[in-house]
C-alpha cells in the first residue's frame, strides 16, 4: 500500500484554508455613517443600510443569572443600548458580537446637583469631576473603538433635564457635550455620536451641539407627534428613540394612595406595537428605536418597564418579538386583569385575602406569586428581589399578612404558566397602627 507523503508546509496551508470560514470575522469595526439628506436619511453600518430594531439592555447578566443578551437575541433585536461604562465591558461586547447584536454604547454623564454629585456644576469646565469624566471616556473609546460590536456612542442621558431651567447650567452642559463629542470623534472617526434627551422639549438644546450626529430622544408616547415636534424645532438631523415605551408613571393617573396606576400588560403590549409601526413608517427620518427595556427591576419603577421578569417573558416581550420577527410565539403569556382586596389599610402583620383575576390564552395552568415593596422606604430593599416571588400559591386566592413596616406598600402579584411566561399586576395598600 502506498502512503501519500505531504510537505509539512503544505499541510499547514491546507489546515489554515479549512479553518478560514470559522475564523474570518472582522477584527475591528468598519464603522457607521449617515447617507442621504434631510427627510431621506439612512444609517449605514459597514457600508450597508441598517435600521435599528433595538432594546435597552442595561446588563448582560441579572442578579438571578438571567442572560439578558440571550433574551435580546431571541427577541429578534439587532442592537442593544446601555447606560454606563461599568456594565458595557469586554464580556458584554464580546457576547453581543457573538449573538449578532450591535451596541449603542451609553456613556453616563453625571447629573448636576444629584445626590451622587451634589457639588458638580457644568458651569466650571475645569471641575475635577468633569476632567475625570473626560479622561475616563477617552480611555474607554481608545480601548473599544475597534470592537466589532460597537455601533454608536451615546454621550449622556437626560443631563439637560437634571439642570432644570438653570440657563447657566444648560449652557455649560452644551459646551461640555460639544467638546466631549469632538474628542470622541477625534479618537474614533469611524462611529457616529448621539445624546439621549428626555423628550422633545430637551432635544431643543441639541441645536447648538453641532458635533452630535444623531438626535437621541427618550420618548414614551405617539411617535408621529414626536416627529412633528422635532420638525417644529427646526431639527433636520436624523433621530433615534434611545428609549421607547408606553406611558410613564409620572404621566399616569393616581390611585387613592397617590400611587401611579400601572396600565395592564395588554395596554402596554398594544402601545409597543403601535409606536414601532409608526416609527417604521417614518424610517426616512429615524434610524429606529431601543424599546425599554430588558434587565432586572429598578428601584424607582419596579416592574413597570421590564419586558421580562427574570427569564419569564411578559406579553410586552411577545408583542415586540412578534413585530421584530414577524412571527407569533407558539405559546402565549398569561393575562392578568386585576387583584381584588377587600381593604386597603391594614395593621402590621394583619392577615388578609386577595383574589387574582388572570387567565391563560392557551389553557395552561397557572401558579401565583406575591411580593411587597415599601414605597416610602424603598432604598432599603433591592429591586432585583422582585424577580423571585417571596410568597407562592397554586390557586388565585392568596392568603397573606401585611408587612411589619408601616407606610405605603405595593403588592406585586404574578401569574406564571409554567412555559416561561408571566403576567404582573399590582395593588397599593397602607400599613398603620
Amino acid at each position: 500500500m502506498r502512503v501519500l507523503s505531504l510537505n509539512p508546509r503544505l499541510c499547514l496551508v491546507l489546515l489554515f484554508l479549512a479553518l478560514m470560514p470559522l475564523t474570518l470575522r472582522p477584527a475591528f469595526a468598519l464603522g457607521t455613517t449617515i447617507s442621504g439628506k434631510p427627510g431621506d436619511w439612512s444609517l449605514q453600518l459597514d457600508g450597508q443600510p441598517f435600521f435599528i430594531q433595538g432594546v435597552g439592555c442595561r446588563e448582560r447578566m441579572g442578579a438571578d443569572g438571567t442572560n439578558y443578551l440571550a433574551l435580546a437575541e431571541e427577541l429578534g433585536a439587532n442592537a442593544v443600548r446601555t447606560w454606563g461604562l461599568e456594565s458595557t465591558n469586554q464580556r458584554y461586547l464580546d457576547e453581543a458580537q457573538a449573538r449578532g447584536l450591535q451596541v449603542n454604547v451609553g456613556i453616563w454623564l453625571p447629573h448636576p446637583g444629584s445626590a451622587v454629585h451634589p457639588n458638580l456644576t457644568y458651569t466650571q469646565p475645569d471641575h475635577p469631576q468633569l476632567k475625570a469624566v473626560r479622561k475616563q471616556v477617552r480611555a474607554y473609546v481608545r480601548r473599544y473603538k475597534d470592537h466589532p460590536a460597537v455601533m454608536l456612542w451615546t454621550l449622556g442621558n437626560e443631563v439637560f433635564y437634571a439642570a432644570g431651567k438653570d440657563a447657566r447650567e444648560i449652557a455649560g452642559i452644551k459646551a461640555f457635550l460639544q467638546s466631549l463629542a469632538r474628542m470622541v470623534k477625534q479618537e474614533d472617526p469611524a462611529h457616529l455620536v448621539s445624546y439621549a434627551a428626555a423628550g422633545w422639549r430637551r432635544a431643543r438644546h441639541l441645536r447648538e451641539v453641532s458635533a452630535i450626529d444623531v438626535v437621541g430622544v427618550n420618548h414614551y408616547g405617539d411617535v408621529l407627534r414626536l416627529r412633528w415636534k422635532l420638525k417644529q424645532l427646526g431639527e433636520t438631523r436624523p433621530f433615534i428613540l434611545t428609549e421607547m415605551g408606553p406611558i410613564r408613571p409620572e404621566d399616569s393617573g393616581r390611585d387613592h394612595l397617590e400611587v401611579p396606576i400601572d396600565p395592564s400588560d395588554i395596554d402596554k403590549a398594544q402601545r409597543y406595537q403601535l409606536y414601532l409601526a409608526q416609527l417604521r413608517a417614518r424610517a426616512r427620518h429615524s434610524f429606529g428605536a431601543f424599546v425599554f427595556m430588558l434587565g432586572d427591576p429598578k428601584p424607582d419603577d419596579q416592574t413597570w418597564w421590564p419586558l421580562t421578569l427574570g427569564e419569564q417573558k411578559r406579553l410586552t416581550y411577545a408583542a415586540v418579538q412578534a413585530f421584530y420577527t414577524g412571527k407569533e410565539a407558539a405559546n402565549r403569556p398569561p393575562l392578568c386583569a386585576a387583584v381584588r382586596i377587600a381593604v386597603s389599610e391594614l395593621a402590621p402583620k394583619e392577615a388578609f385575602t386577595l383574589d387574582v383575576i388572570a387567565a391563560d390564552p392557551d389553557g395552561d395552568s397557572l401558579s401565583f406569586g406575591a411580593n411587597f415593596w415599601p414605597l416610602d422606604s424603598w432604598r432599603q430593599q433591592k429591586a432585583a428581589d422582585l424577580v423571585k416571588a417571596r410568597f407562592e400559591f397554586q390557586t388565585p386566592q392568596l392568603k397573606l399578612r401585611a408587612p411589619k413596616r408601616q407606610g405605603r406598600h405595593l403588592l406585586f402579584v404574578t401569574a406564571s404558566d409554567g412555559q416561561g411566561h408571566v403576567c404582573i399586576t399590582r395593588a397599593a395598600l397602607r400599613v398603620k397602627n
Side-chain angles (χ1 to χ4, degrees):
M1 182 177 65
R2 296 182 60 189
V3 178
L4 183 62
S5 177
L6 292 177
N7 185 298
R9 291 184 178 178
L10 179 59
C11 290
L12 289 175
V13 172
L14 291 174
L15 178 62
F16 173 76
L17 292 173
L19 292 177
M20 278 183 65
L22 299 177
T23 58
L24 276 184
R25 303 185 70 173
F28 54 88
L30 298 180
T32 46
T33 57
I34 298 174
S35 68
K37 58 185 179 181
D40 191 19
W41 295 118
S42 174
L43 173 64
Q44 302 286 310
L45 175 68
D46 297 350
Q48 299 296 322
F50 187 86
F51 190 75
I52 297 170
Q53 293 190 158
V55 60
C57 191
R58 193 172 65 249
E59 54 221 343
R60 185 180 68 89
M61 301 291 291
D64 70 333
T66 298
N67 189 321
Y68 287 114
L69 283 177
L71 286 168
E73 179 186 19
E74 189 179 347
L75 185 71
N78 58 15
V80 290
R81 182 208 167 182
T82 64
W83 281 262
L85 300 182
E86 294 81 6
S87 60
T88 321
N89 52 27
Q90 186 74 43
R91 295 184 68 183
Y92 189 107
L93 294 173
D94 288 348
E95 182 163 346
Q97 181 197 1
R99 296 186 179 280
L101 298 167
Q102 295 296 309
V103 181
N104 176 3
V105 179
I107 297 176
W108 189 264
L109 300 183
H111 288 187
S114 67
V116 182
H117 304 284
N119 300 317
L120 173 69
T121 174
Y122 284 83
T123 62
Q124 300 174 12
D126 294 329
H127 193 286
Q129 286 179 287
L130 296 182
K131 284 185 175 181
V133 168
R134 185 183 298 275
K135 182 178 179 180
Q136 180 191 29
V137 172
R138 187 190 298 274
Y140 185 93
V141 172
R142 283 180 176 176
R143 180 175 180 181
Y144 292 114
K145 64 181 181 179
D146 292 330
H147 196 289
V150 171
M151 175 182 66
L152 185 72
W153 306 107
T154 292
L155 308 180
N157 185 80
E158 302 187 353
V159 186
F160 288 114
Y161 178 81
K165 297 181 179 180
D166 189 327
R168 291 183 66 246
E169 198 69 53
I170 290 172
I173 295 171
K174 290 178 184 177
F176 182 81
L177 193 57
Q178 176 78 349
S179 173
L180 190 68
R182 284 176 173 171
M183 183 197 77
V184 170
K185 294 168 83 167
Q186 191 174 44
E187 295 289 341
D188 178 22
H191 292 100
L192 300 173
V193 176
S194 183
Y195 166 85
W200 64 267
R201 287 183 176 85
R202 269 77 187 188
R204 72 183 187 274
H205 297 310
L206 295 178
R207 286 180 297 177
E208 298 172 44
V209 188
S210 58
I212 294 295
D213 302 304
V214 184
V215 175
V217 185
N218 296 343
H219 182 70
Y220 296 86
D222 191 288
V223 176
L224 301 183
R225 184 171 183 269
L226 169 66
R227 168 63 197 132
W228 180 67
K229 287 293 186 180
L230 291 176
K231 185 177 181 180
Q232 277 193 322
L233 291 175
E235 185 57 73
T236 60
R237 287 171 291 187
F239 71 92
I240 56 174
L241 298 187
T242 37
E243 293 176 15
M244 192 211 78
I247 188 171
R248 303 176 303 169
E250 53 264 47
D251 297 326
S252 179
R254 296 293 189 270
D255 66 11
H256 62 292
L257 294 180
E258 290 301 311
V259 176
I261 298 171
D262 192 356
S264 68
D265 281 357
I266 296 175
D267 180 81
K268 291 178 183 178
Q270 290 174 339
R271 289 178 183 272
Y272 274 115
Q273 289 199 329
L274 171 63
Y275 301 152
L276 285 170
Q278 291 178 337
L279 190 66
R280 185 172 288 179
R282 295 294 181 273
R284 294 187 303 170
H285 301 278
S286 170
F287 289 163
F290 296 90
V291 298
F292 196 70
M293 60 153 211
L294 285 174
D296 286 346
K298 300 194 290 104
D300 52 343
D301 45 38
Q302 306 93 39
T303 63
W304 193 287
W305 301 119
L307 303 178
T308 70
L309 191 62
E311 293 181 342
Q312 295 190 92
K313 304 177 182 92
R314 300 172 68 177
L315 186 63
T316 48
Y317 182 98
V320 176
Q321 184 183 46
F323 190 91
Y324 280 174
T325 66
K327 300 176 182 178
E328 297 284 345
N331 189 274
R332 294 165 291 178
L335 306 174
C336 289
V339 291
R340 287 197 297 235
I341 306 178
V343 294
S344 60
E345 285 197 2
L346 298 159
K349 307 298 286 185
E350 180 181 347
F352 69 99
T353 301
L354 64 90
D355 293 306
V356 185
I357 304 172
D360 189 88
D362 302 301
D364 297 323
S365 60
L366 299 177
S367 60
F368 303 88
N371 278 310
F372 288 104
W373 179 259
L375 273 174
D376 299 323
S377 54
W378 54 267
R379 295 184 187 276
Q380 301 176 29
Q381 188 167 327
K382 293 181 180 179
D385 292 344
L386 295 173
V387 170
K388 296 293 184 183
R390 183 178 178 187
F391 309 100
E392 297 180 343
F393 306 86
Q394 296 304 312
T395 68
Q397 189 174 68
L398 281 53
K399 296 181 179 180
L400 295 161
R401 286 189 178 275
K404 183 179 180 179
R405 183 182 297 162
Q406 296 188 46
R408 296 178 305 160
H409 294 259
L410 284 176
L411 173 60
F412 291 96
V413 177
T414 60
S416 303
D417 66 357
Q419 305 294 322
H421 304 114
V422 67
C423 63
I424 306 172
T425 186
R426 73 184 196 182
L429 54 88
R430 188 193 303 275
V431 176
K432 66 177 186 178
N433 288 326

